């Protein structure tokens, strides 16, 4: 039980705190009525600050590492690929391979996965076509008219006009970017949205 608390200041401005604690009463009749006191000096506190516990040092090291972002710690090198779900691999290959002219990466054969698919080059990165049941609605009428308001991935190109001419000739609908950039949005046969932008200055 805390009985008293005193605070005294010495001429050297060293402060000490004395806590007088009464002993806990015991069943024995020979219980002592004497009190014990513990003094914590400013010098002791300073010593503990100068020589922290080893656990505190490890904690500080962990905190320093945590202050650096995960992105900086892992060293991101770029986007490896974008994966999209398709209903028919043959139909999607007509769109991405025959119409757009994307080439297959032969070093990533489809038999490495338990479903059909294809890896197509888009510059130094890839699109992974996955023939799987689609959890999203594939009916265009239930998706945003403008693809920029839907999930999409973006491809940078040097010249946009040959693509718009191709889409016009094939009857594939597209919309222009609302930002005014030379970019368009259009959908594949499974309603996946592609954005294609001319030039990379916008990055």
């Amino acid at each position: 039980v805390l009985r008293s608390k005193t605070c005294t200041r010495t001429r050297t401005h060293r402060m000490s705190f004395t806590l007088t604690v009464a002993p806990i009463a015991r069943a024995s009749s020979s219980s002592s009525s004497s009190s014990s006191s513990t003094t914590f000096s400013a010098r002791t506190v300073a010593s503990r600050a100068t020589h922290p516990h080893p656990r505190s040092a490890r904690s500080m090291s962990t905190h320093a590492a945590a202050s650096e972002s995960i992105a900086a710690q892992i060293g991101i090198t770029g986007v490896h690929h974008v994966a999209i779900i398709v209903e028919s691999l043959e139909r999607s290959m007509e769109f991405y391979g025959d119409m757009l002219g994307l080439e297959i990466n032969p070093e990533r054969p489809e038999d490495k996965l338990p479903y059909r698919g294809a890896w197509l080059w888009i510059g130094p990165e890839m699109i992974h076509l996955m023939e799987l049941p689609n959890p999203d609605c594939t009916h265009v009428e239930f998706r945003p008219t403008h693809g920029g308001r839907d999930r999409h991935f973006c491809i940078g190109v040097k010249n946009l006009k040959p693509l718009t001419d191709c889409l016009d000739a094939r009857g594939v609908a597209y919309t222009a970017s609302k930002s005014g950039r030379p970019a368009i949005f259009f959908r594949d046969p499974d309603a996946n949205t592609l954005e294609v932008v001319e030039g990379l200055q916008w990055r």
Side-chain angles (χ1 to χ4, degrees), residues 28-137:
S28 171
S29 59
S30 60
S31 300
S32 172
S33 61
S34 62
S35 64
S36 60
S37 62
T38 306
T39 303
F40 301 92
S41 68
R43 179 178 297 174
T44 302
V45 174
S47 176
R48 291 180 179 179
T50 306
H51 306 284
H53 192 278
R55 181 177 299 177
S56 299
R58 289 195 299 270
S59 176
M60 292 174 62
S61 177
T62 302
H63 177 72
S67 64
E68 187 179 26
S69 71
I70 294 297
Q73 293 180 54
I74 63 178
I76 295 175
T77 58
V79 176
H80 184 269
H81 70 273
V82 175
I84 59 175
I85 295 176
V86 301
E87 181 180 4
S88 168
L89 184 60
E90 287 74 21
R91 183 179 66 175
S92 295
M93 284 303 300
E94 289 178 3
F95 181 86
Y96 288 97
D98 298 342
M99 188 183 83
L100 297 182
L102 302 184
E103 297 181 356
I104 294 177
N105 179 0
E107 295 183 2
R108 300 190 69 89
E110 62 179 83
D111 59 1
K112 289 184 177 294
L113 295 171
Y115 51 83
R116 300 180 69 214
W119 297 79
L120 308 176
W121 286 113
I122 46 170
E125 287 81 34
M126 292 174 287
I127 297 176
H128 184 197
L129 304 180
M130 304 185 298
E131 190 180 84
L132 291 169
N134 200 330
D136 294 331
C137 177

Side-chain angles (χ1 to χ4, degrees), residues 12 31 54 70 74 82 97 102 165 168 172 184-185:
T12 59
S31 300
I70 294 297
I74 63 178
V82 175
L102 302 184
D165 290 344
D168 288 336
V172 178
I184 61 170
F185 294 84

